């Protein structure tokens, strides 16, 4: 009989969990791609444009302010909580998230178990000196002046997220790939697995022979790969938390 999701979770001790926007939609945060995604109605601001053009920086902060005001009160949902429960049970090697919403942290995922591969929207970062501070002060300033905020050193402030055209942080990549090399199960939750190089992290584990499970409502770029062990189609909140409940309750 083929193994079910709960069977894989029960037998594993070092799970690499890779998450995308689909796990935050139950918290009211829209996905970036697919039907109704943000990028179907708005074009992203590329990093080079941000650095070179005042108009692009203004557009960037207008968008960030709009999203922050709409979702600042978003709370972790049952998916985030189930991941924390797996960590507390000693089954998680690392959580790698593409999400910048901070909900894994808010749910209780520990610092040493989390890589926010695309950064975090909770901080503003100077593009010159690298100073980081809570983003609220930048939003307050931008709302008053409608001028892109600047660091005390004169550098451009940007949310501490990875923009299009901006390189991922090497320490984060190193931690993620180290976990991919050491895990005994990799699960992708709520991701279209279409953004490179982040999507190569779960694939690295799968190519090394680690069982690879994908759970997503819509199609993903990895669906047809021979390394996929189990593909479940549906809302992540309907499929993943019940399996976690199953193994942690001893059923």
């Amino acid at each position: 009989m083929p193994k079910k999701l709960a069977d894989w979770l029960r037998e594993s001790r070092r799970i690499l969990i890779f998450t995308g926007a689909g796990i935050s939609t139950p918290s009211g945060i829209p996905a970036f791609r697919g039907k109704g995604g943000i990028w179907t109605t708005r074009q992203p601001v590329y990093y080079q444009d941000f650095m070179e053009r005042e108009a692009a920086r203004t557009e960037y902060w207008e968008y960030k302010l709009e999203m922050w005001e709409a979702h600042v009160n978003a709370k972790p949902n049952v998916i985030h909580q189930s991941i924390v429960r797996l960590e507390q049970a000693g089954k998680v090697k690392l959580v790698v998230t593409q999400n910048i919403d901070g909900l894994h942290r808010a749910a209780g995922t520990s610092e040493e178990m989390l890589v926010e591969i695309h950064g975090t929207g909770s901080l503003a970062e100077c593009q010159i000196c690298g100073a980081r501070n809570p983003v609220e002060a930048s939003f307050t300033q931008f709302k008053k002046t409608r001028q892109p905020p600047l660091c005390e050193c004169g550098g451009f402030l940007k949310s501490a997220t990875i923009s299009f055209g901006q390189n991922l942080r090497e320490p984060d990549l190193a931690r993620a790939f180290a976990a991919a090399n050491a895990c005994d199960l990799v699960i992708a939750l709520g991701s279209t697995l279409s953004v490179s190089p982040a999507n190569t992290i779960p694939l690295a584990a799968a190519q090394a022979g680690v069982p690879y499970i994908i759970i997503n409502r819509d199609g993903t770029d990895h669906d047809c790969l021979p390394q996929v062990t189990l593909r479940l189609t549906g809302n992540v909140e309907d499929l993943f938390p019940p399996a976690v409940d199953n193994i942690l309750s001893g059923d």
Side-chain angles (χ1 to χ4, degrees):
M1 179 181 296
K3 287 185 180 180
K4 297 180 179 180
L5 174 60
D7 297 325
W8 288 109
L9 293 175
R10 184 177 293 108
E11 295 175 8
S12 300
R13 294 294 181 270
R14 303 183 308 279
I15 305 172
L16 172 59
I17 300 176
F18 183 85
T19 69
I23 77 160
S24 292
T25 53
S27 295
I29 298 176
F32 283 82
R33 291 168 179 80
K35 185 177 181 181
I38 292 170
W39 298 141
T40 62
T41 57
R42 181 191 292 269
Q43 293 301 309
V45 174
Y46 281 76
Y47 185 67
Q48 184 174 353
D49 287 339
F50 177 92
M51 295 300 293
E52 293 179 354
R53 297 193 301 112
E54 178 86 0
R57 291 191 289 276
T58 300
E59 180 184 355
Y60 174 89
W61 280 102
E62 289 280 3
Y63 158 68
K64 286 295 183 180
L65 177 61
E66 175 187 334
M67 295 301 295
W68 183 75
E69 290 183 334
H71 307 300
V72 66
N73 294 319
K75 303 297 182 184
N77 59 60
V78 67
I79 306 168
H80 301 97
Q81 294 159 357
S82 294
I83 293 170
V84 172
R85 292 179 65 203
L86 282 178
E87 177 189 336
Q88 293 170 343
K91 285 182 164 289
V92 174
K93 182 65 178 178
L94 193 69
V95 178
V96 178
T97 185
Q98 296 173 283
N99 300 336
I100 62 172
D101 52 40
L103 293 184
H104 281 295
R105 289 177 184 272
T109 297
S110 56
E111 182 81 21
E112 63 270 20
M113 289 289 182
L114 180 64
V115 168
E116 294 169 309
I117 201 69
H118 290 155
T120 176
S122 65
L123 300 173
E125 181 179 52
C126 177
Q127 302 307 292
I128 300 299
C129 72
R132 287 183 163 199
N133 291 288
V135 74
E136 288 83 359
S138 293
F139 285 134
T140 299
Q141 178 186 340
F142 182 74
K143 286 178 70 174
K144 290 180 179 178
T145 67
R146 250 38 190 192
Q147 298 295 316
L150 297 175
C151 178
E152 291 182 357
C153 77
F156 302 138
L157 287 176
K158 189 179 82 66
S159 70
T161 57
I162 303 299
S163 297
F164 284 85
Q166 187 177 9
N167 292 330
L168 300 186
R169 295 178 176 87
E170 288 298 329
D172 290 339
L173 284 172
R175 287 183 63 203
F177 280 108
N181 290 330
C183 67
D184 60 2
L185 176 67
V186 56
I187 305 177
L189 301 174
S191 174
T192 61
L193 298 164
S194 61
V195 179
S196 178
N199 63 354
T200 64
I201 296 166
L203 187 57
Q207 290 175 332
V210 174
Y212 185 15
I213 297 174
I214 298 173
I215 308 175
N216 200 46
R217 182 192 65 186
D218 302 318
T220 83
D221 282 12
H222 289 182
D223 285 352
C224 295
L225 297 179
Q227 292 89 353
V228 177
T229 306
L230 178 64
R231 174 64 166 99
L232 298 177
T233 301
N235 293 324
V236 180
E237 65 268 29
D238 296 331
L239 298 170
F240 183 70
V244 174
D245 286 341
N246 182 308
I247 68 160
L248 297 184
S249 66
D251 293 343

